[in-house]
Structures are given as C-alpha cells and as structure tokens.
Amino acid sequence: MSQVRTRFAPSPTGYLHIGGLRTALFDYLLAKKNNGQFLLRIEDTDQARLVPGAQENLIKILQLFALNFDEEVVVQSTRTSLYQPAAEKLIQTKNAYHCFCSSERLDTLRKTQSEAKQVPKYDGHCRDLNTEEVETKLKAGEKAVIRFRMPINKEVIAHDTVYGEIKVNTEDLDDFVLLKSDGFPTYHLANVIDDHDMQISHVFRGEEWLASLPKHLLLYQAFGWQAPTFVHLPLLLNPDRSKLSKRQGDVAVEDFVKKGYLKEAILNYVALLGWNPKDEREFFTLEELVANFSLENINKTGAIFDIQKLNWFNASYIRENKSPEILAQAFSFLPSDLSDEQKHKIFKLFSSRLDNLSQLAQVASFIWQLPDYDKAMLIFKKSDETKTKTGLNIAYTFLNNLAESAWQEETLRQDLNDLLAKNDLTAGDVFWPIRVALSGQDKSPSPTEILEVLGKEESLKRIKLALDKL
C-alpha cells in the first residue's frame, strides 16, 4: 500500500480512555506526517455493551483535540452485509465451519480443561460435521456460530513494528468465533474485513492485542489479502507498574478536561507516553509532533502515567498561554456574578500557582467569601498584639486616604514599605496582618496583590473587621 491510511477504531462503551487518546494521536501523526488519511471507525458490534451518547462523545473529544478525521465515520453495525457473506466465503473455502455447541457445553468444556490445568480452548466438536448434517441443523432452526478452521500444526510468523518477529504454532490457538449466532461479527472478523475494505495501511493498537496478531494474519491469508503494517503500543502503567485503571485515579480524557487540564498539555504529555523524540525537548505543538513523529522512536517498555508530570506540563501551559479560549475555560470555574475585570485580576493573580484550572475556585475562594479566622492568626510570630494594632491602624488610615487611581499593586507595595520606615515598624507588623485580614489565611499571595484584586472598598472593610477582632 503506497498511501498511508490509519484509523482510530474505538468501541462506544463509555468514555475515552487516556490510552485511546494516545492511539488516536499516533494514528493521526503518522497519517499527517506522510500526507495520508486519518479515519474514524466505530466498533459497535457488541450491542450489549453500548452506552448511549458514547459515539457522539468520542467524536466531540477528537474534535476538541483537533484530531480531525478525513472521511465519513464508518460504523460497524451498519455493515453487517459485508461480514456475513465474508464468513460464508470462508466456509466455502474450508477455512471456517458452523458450530452448534450450546453455551452450557462450552462452559462445561472450559471447566473440565481448567481443572485438568489445560489452556481453555474449543475442542473442535463441530469441526468435521458434513454438509448434510449442517444443513439439517440449520433448517431445524438450531442456533450456530461460525468458527475459523485453524490450520493444524502450522507455524505462524508475524511481524510487529515495535515488538519485532513473533512466532506461534497453531496448536496453541483455537478455532475462534468469527460470526455470532445473532449475525454480528466478532472483533476479529470485523476488524480484518474493515481494515481491508478501508484500505488501512497501518494498524495502531494496544499491546494487549498482540496475542490476536497471529489470528488476524491467518484471516488475511484465508481471504487472500495483503495484511497492513501492525504497530502495537506499550501499555500505560500506574506508578506501581500495574496497568493504568480507574481504581488508581482518573483515566478518562473527559475527567481531565472537566478538571481544567488544557488540551494542549494533555496532548503534549500523552505523545511522550511510549514515544521518544530522541532529544531533550519536551514541549511540542500538534504541528511539531507531526513533523517529528516516527515509528522507530516508539518504545517497547510500558509507559508510566505520572499525574505529577502531567500537572507540570499543564502548569507550564497555563503560565505561558493567556489566549481567550483558556481564559474562558478558567472563568468557567469562577462564580458567574463576578465581573470580567475581577475574573481577569483573579486569573492573573493565581495562574502561576495552578496545576489545573479547577483549582482556581479553591485557591481564590477568599476573594468572594472571606473565611472565618482566629484573631491570633493576625499576630506575626515576631510581633505582638500592640504592634499589630498599630500597624493595621496606620495602614487603614493611609489606605483610606489613598486615591482609587493609585490603587495599583506596585504603588501600594512602595507606599506601605515607606510607611514601615516612617513608623519604625517591621513587615511582620504591617504586611502580615494585612494579608491575614484580606484572605483569612496564613498562606496566600502577597497583601498588595490581594489589595489590588479586592479593590479599595472591600479591602478597607476587611481590615476594619480585623481591627474589630483585635
């Protein structure tokens, strides 16, 4: 296949896993690097597991991250007319057969094999039924699946771009199901037929599908088709090297978006999970990822999903990017009754202190609601109540007489420092109690930064409250 055509093929059974986003991203990068096409296929043949709205949500997320697909979405459940004739063709060429075994018989078989410490697999009970027996059973309305007829004692040599050559003997594989009794294909059949029909050149999928590679190659051979290039991606792992799962924290892309992780930061971090640019760079735009991506730089070892590293990326993007889009995202976490001017001031004040935008409401909450605090907090450890009262009174009087036009952080800082020198006071006598009075906290931005955000009226009101406490 001369043209590069990749596809992302999720099942609409829930939210998009962070590993799914990585697969979609790598699909996109390879296609765009080679002036090819990136396609989307919805694998919804397992009707029992479908989640309403999941397909629309998947599309929405891909579009949010600018991973735009090039052709119409392919939906497997609308293509059953392709799968059934293909399965019948394999029967005609003796590469498949009808199986009438009941679920009860199969359960008993698995149990017996398990007790005998054997690898559970189908025993070929229906493999040698003759044509007449099959037709009689089908006419009688007996339910049947169609199974692949695994070649006997054949060595299958598969090649994967990341993991290299893989050899498997067919004696270790079983006659897997191709078409279920309800007429819907299994993953194996639909996957192979669709990839061939869509002219897919490269198949990206998780390492957990590596065991299916020999089965899929045998299917390609049975149909007489050329197989695509396979690229199995290393697992995403928790810091303890267990498989990344919901049990240890967020794994759905939507969860991170809702918490105020920027799409640029998520995409940048995800790109580096299992792929290495072979230099010291860590920050990439989507366009730069396209330019630098290569299959040779995909790692074999599992990639650790480190939330602290994602936080570091996200904090960096928040500090550096003040686009209207990011501001709108940040403002969505603030009370709606605040003015845009207040929201801008709050974001400017706290943006360098955030790992994600959802933290903004938490760290800035004292701006719109002063928490109750103990008056003892107002007194700095190297000061005392008398000096604290003196410092607050002098500051209150000065600030009360200060013009609104001079209510700027730099001016306020310089004026209050001059006030200290004139009155033989320390920063602990003035700056500390002002900060506590304004925030109700012992850790917060500087008092002059808070003064500017709160404005003159609210600032004086809070300092007066502190004086009343003392």
Side-chain angles (χ1 to χ4, degrees), residues 71-257:
E71 297 175 7
E72 285 188 19
V73 180
V74 173
V75 180
Q76 280 188 336
S77 61
T78 66
R79 294 160 63 85
T80 51
S81 60
L82 276 180
Y83 311 129
Q84 291 166 348
E88 292 292 341
K89 180 183 176 184
L90 291 178
I91 289 176
Q92 291 165 15
T93 58
K94 305 298 183 186
N95 287 298
Y97 61 92
H98 286 94
C99 172
F100 299 90
C101 292
S102 65
S103 56
E104 290 77 16
R105 180 184 183 278
L106 295 174
D107 288 341
T108 302
L109 175 64
R110 275 191 292 269
K111 186 178 178 184
T112 303
Q113 290 172 331
S114 181
E115 289 172 353
K117 294 188 168 35
Q118 297 173 343
V119 177
K121 67 176 190 175
Y122 184 61
D123 61 356
H125 181 72
C126 295
R127 185 177 169 115
D128 297 317
L129 291 177
N130 62 45
T131 305
E132 289 181 0
E133 288 177 291
V134 171
E135 288 180 356
T136 300
K137 287 176 177 290
L138 290 174
K139 284 178 182 176
E142 287 193 41
K143 285 192 172 183
V145 300
I146 295 178
R147 289 183 181 273
F148 183 73
R149 190 186 297 275
M150 190 62 64
I152 296 171
N153 196 25
K154 177 181 178 180
E155 186 176 57
V156 183
I157 301 175
H159 181 81
D160 179 73
T161 301
V162 177
Y163 293 90
E165 190 174 84
I166 298 158
K167 294 182 180 180
V168 179
N169 193 287
T170 53
E171 297 304 298
D172 297 321
L173 304 172
D174 73 344
D175 293 358
F176 56 96
V177 175
L178 298 171
L179 203 68
K180 294 176 277 190
S181 58
D182 61 2
F184 275 93
T186 60
Y187 168 79
H188 304 297
L189 181 65
N191 191 275
V192 167
I193 291 174
D194 284 336
D195 283 341
H196 173 74
D197 185 65
M198 295 167 68
Q199 299 179 304
I200 299 304
S201 65
H202 293 74
V203 171
F204 285 84
R205 59 191 182 193
E207 177 195 330
E208 63 270 27
W209 289 106
L210 206 53
S212 296
L213 183 53
K215 296 179 181 179
H216 294 177
L217 278 183
L218 287 169
L219 266 177
Y220 277 103
Q221 290 169 15
F223 282 120
W225 297 338
Q226 181 184 341
T229 299
F230 288 93
V231 187
H232 287 82
L233 303 175
L235 291 175
L236 294 187
L237 305 174
N238 292 303
D240 65 1
R241 302 202 70 80
S242 61
K243 186 177 178 181
L244 186 66
S245 68
K246 188 78 175 173
R247 288 190 299 277
Q248 296 209 26
D250 293 327
V251 295
V253 177
E254 290 85 341
D255 291 338
F256 292 104
V257 173

Side-chain angles (χ1 to χ4, degrees), residues 233-435:
L233 303 175
L235 291 175
L236 294 187
L237 305 174
N238 292 303
D240 65 1
R241 302 202 70 80
S242 61
K243 186 177 178 181
L244 186 66
S245 68
K246 188 78 175 173
R247 288 190 299 277
Q248 296 209 26
D250 293 327
V251 295
V253 177
E254 290 85 341
D255 291 338
F256 292 104
V257 173
K258 285 176 184 173
K259 283 188 174 180
Y261 285 85
L262 306 185
K263 61 181 186 293
E264 296 88 349
I266 297 172
L267 211 58
N268 193 156
Y269 178 59
V270 165
L272 300 174
L273 294 175
W275 173 76
N276 190 327
K278 300 300 182 188
D279 58 33
E280 299 302 313
R281 283 180 300 168
E282 291 191 284
F283 290 93
F284 293 87
T285 63
L286 184 56
E287 292 73 20
E288 288 168 342
L289 286 171
V290 168
N292 287 275
F293 185 74
S294 68
L295 294 177
E296 294 73 28
N297 291 347
I298 296 176
N299 303 325
K300 284 185 184 179
T301 52
I304 300 292
F305 184 84
D306 183 356
I307 190 64
Q308 299 305 323
K309 186 70 173 179
L310 175 58
N311 286 344
W312 178 80
F313 267 105
N314 203 52
S316 300
Y317 273 92
I318 290 172
R319 284 196 305 272
E320 299 301 323
N321 194 333
K322 302 297 189 293
S323 70
E325 186 182 4
I326 289 175
L327 288 175
Q329 195 177 346
F331 293 174
S332 70
F333 291 100
L334 295 174
S336 57
D337 57 350
L338 294 177
S339 69
D340 280 352
E341 183 184 3
Q342 288 175 303
K343 290 176 181 177
H344 275 280
K345 286 182 176 179
I346 289 170
F347 183 72
K348 179 184 175 184
L349 178 57
F350 291 101
S351 61
S352 63
R353 298 170 169 88
L354 302 174
D355 287 336
N356 62 67
L357 296 177
S358 69
Q359 293 172 343
L360 188 57
Q362 180 186 344
V363 298
S365 61
F366 69 84
I367 297 293
W368 55 86
Q369 186 171 9
L370 179 68
D372 189 27
Y373 62 92
D374 190 323
K375 72 173 186 178
M377 280 178 62
L378 290 162
I379 303 168
F380 186 59
K381 59 186 176 182
K382 292 183 179 179
S383 185
D384 56 41
E385 188 170 333
T386 301
K387 286 182 179 178
T388 300
K389 280 184 182 177
T390 301
L392 275 179
N393 271 308
I394 290 171
Y396 181 85
T397 302
F398 171 78
L399 292 171
N400 192 33
N401 292 324
L402 191 67
E404 287 270 8
S405 58
W407 203 270
Q408 305 293 329
E409 195 272 328
E410 284 187 26
T411 306
L412 290 163
R413 179 161 30 91
Q414 184 60 53
D415 288 346
L416 288 175
N417 273 313
D418 291 344
L419 213 58
L420 296 184
K422 287 179 186 174
N423 292 277
D424 196 27
L425 294 169
T426 67
D429 302 326
V430 178
F431 282 97
W432 175 271
I434 289 178
R435 181 166 71 172

Side-chain angles (χ1 to χ4, degrees), residues 23-79:
T23 302
L25 174 61
F26 286 10
D27 275 315
Y28 178 89
L29 296 179
L30 184 71
K32 298 306 166 187
K33 174 77 178 283
N34 293 280
N35 297 313
Q37 284 87 42
F38 167 61
L39 311 180
L40 176 64
R41 181 171 77 228
I42 302 297
E43 299 196 336
D44 61 344
T45 56
D46 191 347
Q47 296 284 292
R49 296 179 59 227
L50 299 187
V51 172
Q55 178 178 326
E56 292 76 12
N57 187 67
L58 282 163
I59 293 171
K60 182 179 174 183
I61 286 292
L62 291 178
Q63 290 172 337
L64 174 68
F65 284 86
L67 303 180
N68 299 311
F69 37 91
D70 293 306
E71 297 175 7
E72 285 188 19
V73 180
V74 173
V75 180
Q76 280 188 336
S77 61
T78 66
R79 294 160 63 85

